[in-house]
Amino acid sequence: MTLTPAELTSAVSGGIGTSPQRPDGNLKVRGEFAYASDLWHEDMIWGATLRSPHPYARIKSIDITEALKIPGVYAVLTHEDVPGRNLYGLEHKDQPVLAVDIVRYQGEPIALVGADHPETANRAVKRIKVEFEVLTPVTDMETAADDTPLHPGGNLVRHVHIRRGDQNAEAEVVITGRYEVGMQDQAFLGPESGLALPAEDGGVDLYIATQWLHVDRAQTAAALGLPEEKVRLTLSGVGGAFGGREDLSMQVHACMLALHTGKPTKMVYNREESFYGHVHRHPAVLYYEHGADHTGKLVYVKARIYLDGGAYASSTPAVVANAATLGVGPYEADNVTIDCYGVYTNNPPCGAMRGFGAVQAGFAYESQMDKLAEALNMSPVDVRIRNAMTEGSLMPTGQKVDSAAPVAQLLKLVQDKPMPPPAVNDLRHMPGGVSNTTHGEGVVRGVGYAVGIKNICFSEGYDDYSTARVRLQMVGGELTAMVHTAACEVGQGLVTIMQQIVRTELGVERVTVLPMDTSIGNGGSTSASRQTYVTGGAVKAACAAVRAKLGDRTDIGDEVIDETVEWRHRATEPLDPETGQGNAHVQYGFAAHRAVVDVDTELGLVKVVQLDCAQDVGKALNPQAVVGQIQGGSAQGLGLAVMEEIQTADGKVRNPSFTDYLIPTVLDMPPMNIDVLELADPHAPYGIRGVGEPPTISSTPAIVAAIRAATGLALTRVPVRPEHLTNT
Amino acid sequence: MDFLRPSTLAEALAVKAERPDAVPIAGGTDVMVELNFDHRRPAALLDLTRIEELRTWTPGLRIGAGVPYVRIIDELGAQLPGLAMASRTVGSPQIRNRGTVGGNLGAASPAGDTHPVLIASDAVIEVASVRGTRMIPVDDFYTGVKRNALEPDELIVAIHLPPAPGPQQFAKIGTRNAMVIAVCSFAISLHPNEKRVGAAVGSAAPTPRRARDAEDFLSAALTWEAPKPLLDSVKREFGELVSQAASPIDDVRGSAAYRRHALAVMARRTLGWAWQEYLEGEQACA
């Protein structure tokens, strides 16, 4: 049975603070949810992409003759066919829609084919002849800035430096370390897909799985040489995002084919192409030095951080700012010296992924805190509490943390959770699982702690807002509301949250959520843990405008109350370019984890036995969805800790498949005890604090700390591989 | 692409004789992945799922090539513990519902999970064509990376395996706790009546490989008549010989050095478990 749209919008009940069932849940479990990859249109053609096999090469010639000869091929397009500006990018317009003269990463799009069948399109792609002059790729992030320039202006995308307090401070105890974070993938389950329909006005309608409709539209319109109003985007079913859909993938490509051929054009990446078709989490190399007194109190923190942005900038500048400004973690330190560099290389482009710079820094500073605890013979929890930030603390940027920062409380909560029972002789609970590698031999238990900090919403003076329209009218004798935004539901539950807010604000039971599209103003990105905050704030404000006209009436006859509101969170400031000082962030989120692991110390296999988390969310608008975010974020952090990495060699991806890019299964992700604190932020709607990212940050270092406790090894790189644990 | 659906083995063999380029498909858990990723474009698929003979097993044992892993686990676990353990590590429940040992043999991937067990327990592979039936000892079956001894007109019909004559064990390394391709794997089978041990490694050489020196050493070192707890030195030597039998490579799943190390550990441990079971069995009889 397939649910009808009417049921989709009416299945939800309840206001904020309750957990009404999400409308897409049952459909997804039953495999009946319509994703963008299920889009279909009469007479549509299929697009396919020719991608570079080389990480760095000059294109000497492109010959499309043979591809065009294949029956069923409608178009073969190259950079010469890009109607508008052949450059796009979230922060710097440095990435071509289709490569011109040079390719800078393996998988870079070079040409497009539109054909009557996906197989025909794929065969035609193989008939396109490209002559390359292969160049030596730049692949080392630490030396890239001084290597062959890959873009005009060189390979340094951004350098943020923070200088705070005494730059020559000295300390009794000095801890240094070098850490590495591998390239993680968002691994969303629904690959890139969309359907472009040519319109009679010369424009195009694009149905698309994305995270940010309006920024897609601005970039797509510019590339197509069309005014924005002629490029209309509607959100289709999104199968996860985690940052990987913030950049363009096939948006412009599908529209180019549709406009060129006059035919509806569908593009769907398969899993392998998806690995080449979106940005990943920046790999990082981080050098840290912590100075502390004999009580464990931090005197200074120094860090030099390199983030590999790959071939194009994407959101590297903002990721650099996050890694730098959050580089000390949720701790007080009066004297801070941080240099954070984001660079171009010929590795796969990296950009947004859940945690966004805070994850990389978090692994390093938490590893340092454990080393400090060890040096002082303190417990890992005590050394953290000794330095824990509180409300009123100053960030390395000089910004005052002006709402709850319950860092010590979160640590104590996870510390006080009951410990799991000792290992039982059930293979499913052993390291290695049913692969039957141990019946207890070599297994050692370890416990580790970590806490993290994440900025919520967009920072550094960005005009971050959302637009919401709420319409109220009588339907069947009952007041009924409709809510419309362009804020993307990517699986996180925004549809449900918006309905809950409208119910609470207007006391209306029936709330319909309109499809998300660009016929209304910008909803901002579904990223930075910001949609409940910003779009939720906009919906709340639109409800207030409606309420002002409604008064205390329960029957408005034929009247229609229709209000659209643009809502902003409080403004932020850019960082001072010399000192890195400034009120750059809107809000801070905190989570702490305790991980308990069993490590087969002989084979280097890990079973995470229990992963407990405490997080402050300000106010849980939908408690079940909050817990879901914490579980999911923790699982993604577990993946980075012990298995998830896009491995590259000389700029080439070695494992572009779910066969060898492993994500946690139900036998890898343990049960969690979760404490949700609701310490309201007076600056935020309902006091809420963004939920999605903080649990991803502390999960990884807690697990690695537990593995260190079990093995006594230093473990300075994630993901931790069996080779690291067995010295092989 | 033609999709050929014979309903009897004779019909299937006739089709295969006429269309040697037809790729046999049973569970499809390998073939469909290759097709979906466009790694392979056969002119024809030969669907074997309608052939009842391939989907049954008979005592002795003769296991039809198309018996899915889930039935080996559920129905043959007591008689073939090693094969059941290996089957249990294949993919996910959905894959085990469809995937077959015949498919594992057809693909002949060095990482195939059941191969080490088949070698350690001296399986014989029954293959057939319109020209007749051949019984291929498993040692002669694997001829190279993803290559086997089949002629183009032949199909894998059945796997012949005696019920376990003694304790069997299988272990496999993966970097997650389920649904993972072997980094390396190991199988051991005790044959007390013949005072002999079978041992083989997977995913650590171009083909699944018998660890012959390890077998010979252990067959002689074990105290079959008056079983005693094993000396650590015996376990260690056995582990070393198993490790030496491999010729692993560095790849995206693991390093050669790790594979050698892990094989030695798995060999020691599985030997310990198998021998312990044998000891307990002997004591129970005494």
Side-chain angles (χ1 to χ4, degrees), chain A residues 25-73:
Chain A
N26 286 343
L27 293 174
K28 284 175 174 169
V29 170
R30 287 203 300 252
E32 293 171 349
F33 184 82
Y35 291 97
S37 51
D38 298 316
L39 289 163
W40 186 87
H41 197 282
E42 187 109 16
D43 204 25
M44 73 182 182
I45 63 169
W46 297 77
T49 312
L50 173 68
R51 295 175 180 276
S52 170
H54 306 297
Y56 191 32
R58 223 179 299 285
I59 297 174
K60 298 175 80 175
S61 66
I62 303 175
D63 181 357
I64 63 172
T65 321
E66 293 301 312
L68 277 170
K69 283 183 188 165
I70 296 181
V73 170

Side-chain angles (χ1 to χ4, degrees), chain A residues 119 123 126 272 430-439 441-442 600 602-603 605-607 643 647 654-655 659-660 662-663 665 667-668 721-723 726 728, chain B residues 36-39 41 85 88-89 169-181 250-255 257-258 261-263 265-266 268-270 273:
Chain A
E119 286 304 312
R123 283 177 200 196
K126 288 179 183 143
E272 181 174 352
M430 291 282 176
V434 297
S435 290
N436 190 39
T437 47
T438 180
H439 296 174
E441 299 90 338
D600 183 334
E602 270 188 296
L603 285 174
L605 302 178
V606 176
K607 168 74 183 180
M643 62 183 85
Q647 300 182 46
R654 301 173 71 202
N655 54 339
T659 304
D660 286 310
L662 301 181
I663 54 178
T665 70
L667 285 182
D668 298 286
R721 297 184 55 89
E723 283 85 353
T726 54
T728 49
Chain B
N36 286 336
F37 277 94
D38 204 16
H39 292 160
R41 232 168 232 290
M85 280 184 229
R88 179 68 185 82
T89 73
Q169 285 289 338
F170 171 81
K172 156 178 154 182
I173 301 283
T175 42
R176 75 179 165 196
N177 290 314
M179 285 176 65
V180 68
I181 293 187
D250 290 323
D251 68 12
V252 74
R253 292 175 195 147
S255 71
Y258 175 73
H261 166 80
L263 284 171
V265 176
M266 286 192 291
R268 290 201 302 266
R269 289 184 183 174
T270 53
W273 305 330

Side-chain angles (χ1 to χ4, degrees), chain B residues 164-199:
Chain B
Q168 297 180 335
Q169 285 289 338
F170 171 81
K172 156 178 154 182
I173 301 283
T175 42
R176 75 179 165 196
N177 290 314
M179 285 176 65
V180 68
I181 293 187
V183 172
C184 55
S185 62
F186 176 73
I188 184 170
S189 179
L190 302 190
H191 303 255
N193 296 338
E194 304 169 50
K195 297 178 185 169
R196 188 169 67 77
V197 173

Side-chain angles (χ1 to χ4, degrees), chain A residues 12 27 89 93 121 161 174 262 298 311 324 354 390-391 437 479 484 524 577 617 652 728:
Chain A
V12 179
L27 293 174
K93 310 286 179 241
H161 38 117
V174 175
L298 290 176
R354 192 181 204 169
T390 59
E391 183 167 352
T437 47
L479 268 178
H484 186 197
V617 304
K652 290 193 177 182
T728 49

